[in-house]
């Protein structure tokens, strides 16, 4: 697999380089030079394969000879060791539960695959890989749990004091081993500024092998294609041969992976990009003007993104052809009031508790069906996180129905620890320097 930068199509770098660099110097994003068409026979018989088997087929088509077959198979089986069931809610509506991994959010797919790919490329005796992440909640947990116990790696997570939910905090602070958590007396932006300064600091770069593990890394995108194929396989078993996916979107990595799956040959009728009022993309598709703005806080806070970082990848997949893109992608926005009404509606209609992000994806399907009653395709909305991660959003009668998964119960009895730091960079730098190994 060779990759170019969306800002320089002549660039050619290897998968390994793209994984460790995360982002090209020219501030574009890495994209595969070749997007092969998967074998039509594989798609035709896809319902006969398991999720890890599908994952292997897709990954090996993309990666080619970057990782030998047997190693890739083992890596996938280790990384994708949980289910992604598409639950039937009515005749033709399904919810795709992507929260059965250790951090209870879909980001586990990306983080677990990335951590294992990085560990694979770190040869014996190579310098310890130091992963720095700033988190507002979900990313930190997925990265921490993704790298937990992975040899030759160490993760440092910075999170803002008092601004992550209790379960998210437990996921960050109960790990030990190669994971350390720092509670920063400040906001998410302060955490991110500290991490950015660390990457720019000469002395730190000389002493440590730093990497960012952030969501634009190509090795996080690839594993997110797996569950689109696997969902199609599940629906095919039920007699459908075309689907609509509705994806709750923030940085547009998840839907970007869906569109990559589409380009690899997955038969999809429509993708719906569902956002909260941080609606840069729906506005763009309406007006043709791409205008980012500062993010606004909402109930679906993992989607509070005013400048979606993966959008340039999607434009690249469609060769900047907005009309071609609009044939495949529709986009709707919903505010907090509508989100809450959506949560209640899903509870009443299906006796199902959806997290606020998931509820937005559901609302988008409802809206699409009103606008396009002639489209009778089966529709799947992606559930990106378990409801228990956002306990404050729900009316009390719905909150009472949320079952706390085993993973979380186990965390509650564990000891937890976070180091505490202020927002000054010198303090963070000294912290890192005083812990060389
Ligand atoms: C990260 C996240 C999203 C947004 O996904 P993108 O890939 O950034 O579009 C949606 N829902 C939840 C729960 C998330 O954690």
């Amino acid at each position: 697999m060779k990759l170019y930068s969306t800002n320089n199509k002549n660039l050619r770098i290897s998968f390994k380089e793209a994984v460790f660099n995360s982002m090209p110097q020219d501030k574009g994003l890495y994209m595969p030079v070749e997007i092969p068409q998967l074998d039509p026979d594989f798609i035709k018989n896809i319902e006969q394969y398991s999720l890890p088997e599908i994952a292997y087929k897709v990954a090996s088509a993309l990666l080619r000879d970057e990782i030998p077959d047997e190693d890739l198979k083992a890596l996938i089986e280790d990384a994708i060791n949980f289910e992604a069931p598409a639950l039937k809610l009515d005749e033709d509506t399904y919810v795709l539960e992507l929260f059965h991994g250790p951090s209870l959010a879909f980001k586990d797919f990306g983080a677990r695959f990335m951590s294992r790919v990085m560990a694979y490329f770190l040869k014996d005796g190579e310098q310890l890989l130091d992963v720095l992440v700033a988190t507002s909640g979900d990313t930190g947990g997925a990265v921490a749990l993704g790298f937990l116990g992975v040899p030759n790696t160490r993760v440092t997570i910075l999170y803002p004091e008092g601004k992550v939910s209790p379960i998210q905090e437990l996921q960050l602070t109960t790990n030990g081993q190669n994971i350390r958590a720092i509670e920063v007396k400040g906001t998410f932006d302060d955490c991110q500024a500290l991490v950015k300064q660390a990457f720019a600091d000469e002395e730190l770069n000389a002493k440590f092998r730093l990497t960012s593990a952030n969501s634009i890394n190509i090795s996080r995108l690839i594993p997110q294609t797996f569950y689109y194929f696997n969902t199609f396989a599940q629906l095919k078993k039920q007699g459908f041969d075309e689907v609509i996916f509705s994806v709750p979107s923030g940085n547009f990595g998840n839907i970007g992976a869906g569109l990559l799956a589409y380009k690899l040959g997955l038969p999809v009728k429509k993708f719906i990009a569902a956002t909260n009022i941080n609606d840069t993309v729906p506005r763009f598709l309406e007006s043709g003007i791409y205008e980012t703005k500062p993010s606004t806080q909402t109930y679906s806070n993992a989607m509070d993104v005013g400048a979606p970082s993966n959008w340039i990848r999607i434009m690249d997949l469609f060769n900047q052809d907005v009309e071609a893109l609009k044939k495949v992608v529709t986009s709707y926005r919903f505010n907090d009031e509508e989100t809450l009404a959506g949560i209640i509606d899903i509870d009443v209609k299906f006796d199902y508790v959806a997290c606020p992000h998931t509820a937005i994806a559901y609302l988008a399907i409802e809206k699409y069906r009103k606008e396009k009653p002639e489209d009778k395709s089966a529709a799947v909305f992606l559930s990106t996180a378990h409801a228990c991660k956002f306990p404050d959003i729900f009316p009390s009668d719905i909150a009472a129905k949320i079952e706390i998964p085993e993973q979380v119960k186990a965390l509650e009895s564990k000891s937890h620890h976070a180091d505490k730091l202020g927002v000054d960079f010198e303090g963070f730098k000294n912290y890192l320097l005083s812990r060389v190994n």
Side-chain angles (χ1 to χ4, degrees):
M1 179 190 211
K2 289 277 175 282
L3 300 106
Y4 59 74
S5 163
T6 51
N7 283 344
N8 175 8
K9 298 221 167 185
N10 295 321
L11 185 78
R12 288 293 177 275
I13 70 157
S14 70
F15 179 56
K16 178 177 176 179
E17 277 177 276
V19 168
F20 286 119
N21 293 351
S22 243
M23 201 180 191
Q25 298 281 323
D26 62 23
K27 302 263 161 49
L29 291 181
Y30 291 122
M31 284 298 276
V33 173
E34 255 182 87
I35 299 178
Q37 279 292 302
L38 293 185
D39 179 2
D41 273 345
F42 165 66
I43 302 282
K44 222 167 98 197
N45 300 309
I46 195 164
E47 68 273 22
Q48 297 169 13
Y49 295 89
S50 68
L51 172 57
E53 286 167 346
I54 290 173
Y56 169 72
K57 286 267 185 199
V58 177
S60 61
L62 266 173
L63 297 182
R64 303 273 169 99
D65 40 13
E66 297 277 347
I67 300 178
D69 288 351
E70 289 311 309
D71 293 338
L72 183 60
K73 263 190 194 146
L75 189 155
I76 285 171
E77 270 167 26
D78 185 28
I80 314 297
N81 63 348
F82 51 92
E83 301 286 318
L87 233 70
K88 185 170 183 163
L89 294 179
D90 68 20
E91 276 306 270
D92 51 7
T93 313
Y94 291 75
V95 57
L96 173 59
E97 295 189 337
L98 297 174
F99 53 71
H100 294 284
S103 83
L104 309 175
F106 83 97
K107 291 189 173 74
D108 285 328
F109 284 89
R112 287 179 70 81
F113 187 81
M114 172 176 60
S115 63
R116 281 146 184 85
V117 166
M118 284 182 171
Y120 178 82
F121 284 132
L122 285 172
K123 298 209 180 56
D124 283 346
E126 272 192 31
Q127 191 184 359
L128 174 81
L129 183 71
D130 260 297
V131 180
L132 304 184
V133 238
T135 186
S136 56
D138 267 357
T139 302
V143 171
L145 292 159
F147 279 88
L148 182 64
V150 173
N152 218 6
T153 68
R154 171 169 66 181
V155 177
T156 307
I157 302 159
L158 291 83
Y159 70 94
E161 181 187 59
K163 294 198 177 63
V164 301
S165 81
I167 287 176
Q168 288 173 330
E169 187 161 20
L170 284 174
Q171 289 176 340
L172 301 176
T173 58
T174 52
N175 296 298
Q177 297 186 56
N178 58 332
I179 312 295
R180 56 190 182 187
I182 301 176
E183 184 179 26
V184 175
K185 258 196 184 321
T187 62
F188 168 66
D189 290 332
D190 294 323
C191 297
Q192 197 153 34
L194 288 173
V195 167
K196 281 199 176 145
Q197 264 183 290
F199 284 124
D201 188 275
E202 259 179 53
E203 190 182 356
L204 290 178
N205 278 293
K207 288 234 161 62
F208 301 103
R209 180 172 184 175
L210 300 177
T211 193
S212 80
N214 61 22
S215 68
I216 42 132
N217 197 295
I218 190 75
S219 66
R220 281 181 62 164
L221 197 73
I222 291 169
Q224 292 179 25
T225 61
F226 303 161
Y227 48 75
Y228 286 95
F229 285 96
N230 187 57
T231 303
F232 179 66
Q234 293 179 63
L235 265 75
K236 208 155 169 289
K237 267 188 207 151
Q238 315 238 348
F240 296 103
D241 51 21
E242 221 172 25
V243 296
I244 296 169
F245 284 107
S246 177
V247 188
S249 297
N251 263 322
F252 282 70
N254 197 353
I255 195 170
L259 289 162
L260 178 57
Y262 172 75
K263 293 282 176 181
L264 285 159
L266 182 70
V268 180
K269 179 84 173 282
K270 202 79 168 184
F271 286 92
I272 309 176
T275 76
N276 59 31
I277 55 164
N278 295 287
D279 60 351
T280 300
V281 168
R283 276 186 292 117
F284 170 63
L285 294 181
E286 278 155 25
S287 69
I289 299 165
Y290 192 78
E291 191 180 28
T292 61
K293 55 178 190 189
S295 67
T296 306
Q297 199 178 339
T298 72
Y299 289 160
S300 47
N301 61 9
M303 290 154 51
D304 294 346
V305 181
S309 49
N310 279 293
W311 185 252
I312 53 175
R313 277 201 164 116
I314 293 174
M315 291 302 290
D316 192 79
L317 278 174
F318 285 85
N319 293 319
Q320 318 299 324
D321 182 344
V322 182
E323 289 315 308
L325 174 75
K326 278 160 81 168
K327 290 202 175 96
V328 186
V329 181
T330 300
S331 188
Y332 303 115
R333 85 184 66 81
F334 301 92
N335 63 28
D336 277 352
E337 201 184 324
E338 292 166 313
T339 305
L340 196 54
I343 288 173
I344 293 167
D345 195 32
I346 299 169
D347 175 56
V348 171
K349 275 198 189 126
F350 310 117
D351 193 24
Y352 186 83
V353 184
C355 93
H357 313 80
T358 307
I360 286 181
Y362 168 75
L363 289 167
I365 287 181
E366 295 272 276
K367 186 156 182 172
Y368 176 79
R369 282 179 168 159
K370 271 207 192 95
E371 283 183 7
K372 294 257 170 358
E374 68 281 6
D375 189 345
K376 303 286 183 208
S377 316
V380 180
F381 60 102
L382 275 57
S383 179
T384 43
H386 195 289
C388 73
K389 295 186 94 172
F390 312 94
D392 299 339
I393 309 293
F394 298 91
S396 56
D397 59 323
I398 298 181
K401 294 187 190 178
I402 299 174
E403 284 174 32
I404 306 294
E406 288 306 318
Q407 294 103 304
V408 174
K409 288 187 197 148
L411 291 182
E412 281 163 356
S413 59
K414 280 184 153 177
S415 65
H416 52 94
H417 175 78
D419 295 315
K420 294 182 193 336
L421 288 179
V423 298
D424 65 300
F425 179 63
E426 281 311 306
F428 180 45
K429 182 168 171 177
N430 288 333
Y431 173 94
L432 293 173
L433 289 173
S434 64
R435 292 162 175 84
V436 172
N437 276 307

